[in-house]
Amino acid sequence: MKNTKVQKITQTAIIAAMYAALTYAQAFLLPGTTTAAVQFRVSEALNVLALFTPAAIPGLTLGCIISNLYSIGQGLPLDMIFGSLATLGATLCIFFLRNVKIKNYPVPAMLMPALWNGVIVGWEIEQFFIDGPFHFGDFLVQGGLVALGELGVMLVLGTALYYAIVKRHLDKKL
């Protein structure tokens, strides 16, 4: 008999560890690419896992919290809060939109990280890191840059990961 509670906790922990490890490795090998306005965080491709298991929602959120601990040392403590909230919102939407597909591809779900991070992290940058009052036009620029990086990750690496999982029928095992 399978203990599904233990299985879900294990999946959550593994996903969190993979996200944090990928982010830390990238930050070490390519400094600045995981925290810049136009970031290309390879670990964000793991958002695809929320299409296949609800354990990815807390796993990716926890992984984002852990990996954003690195941001605190760079003077970005708020990113741990807002970046993680964006990941939580995006993965929840990915899970709920998992069956909405265009030609067998979950387009709306794949766009959620760009949407959530663009709005939340774009607001965070404009509100806390740009001197002067909040400007909506600048927020759109900041949010657009964040969304652009997320789109790049999800549409390139996320798509490759999605098709690798589906083609090997790993989605049935998750």
Side-chain angles (χ1 to χ4, degrees), residues 24-90:
Y24 282 136
Q26 181 181 344
F28 177 73
L29 296 171
L30 301 165
T33 60
T34 62
T35 56
V38 182
Q39 56 184 254
F40 193 88
R41 229 183 232 197
V42 173
S43 54
E44 285 290 304
L46 295 176
N47 283 318
V48 167
L49 297 175
L51 290 165
F52 306 110
T53 177
I57 298 165
L60 291 164
T61 303
L62 182 59
C64 187
I65 290 169
I66 293 166
S67 63
N68 282 342
L69 287 172
Y70 176 76
S71 301
I72 291 174
Q74 296 180 316
L76 304 171
L78 295 173
D79 201 38
M80 189 170 80
I81 297 166
F82 294 110
S84 302
L85 284 174
T87 297
L88 176 62

Side-chain angles (χ1 to χ4, degrees), residues 2-16 49-50 52-60 62 95 171-174:
K2 286 185 179 179
N3 187 337
T4 56
K5 189 173 185 178
V6 171
Q7 188 176 26
K8 293 293 182 197
I9 291 170
T10 303
Q11 281 182 345
T12 298
I14 290 170
I15 292 168
L49 297 175
F52 306 110
T53 177
I57 298 165
L60 291 164
L62 182 59
F95 182 75
D171 53 329
K172 308 296 186 236
K173 296 179 181 180
L174 289 172

Side-chain angles (χ1 to χ4, degrees), residues 4 10 19 21 45 65 76 85 88 109 115 120 123-124 131 135 140-141 143-145 147 159 161 164:
T4 56
T10 303
Y19 186 100
I65 290 169
L76 304 171
L85 284 174
L88 176 62
L115 176 69
I120 292 177
W123 172 82
E124 173 194 359
D131 290 333
H135 289 95
L140 290 177
V141 170
L145 292 172
T159 297
L161 180 58

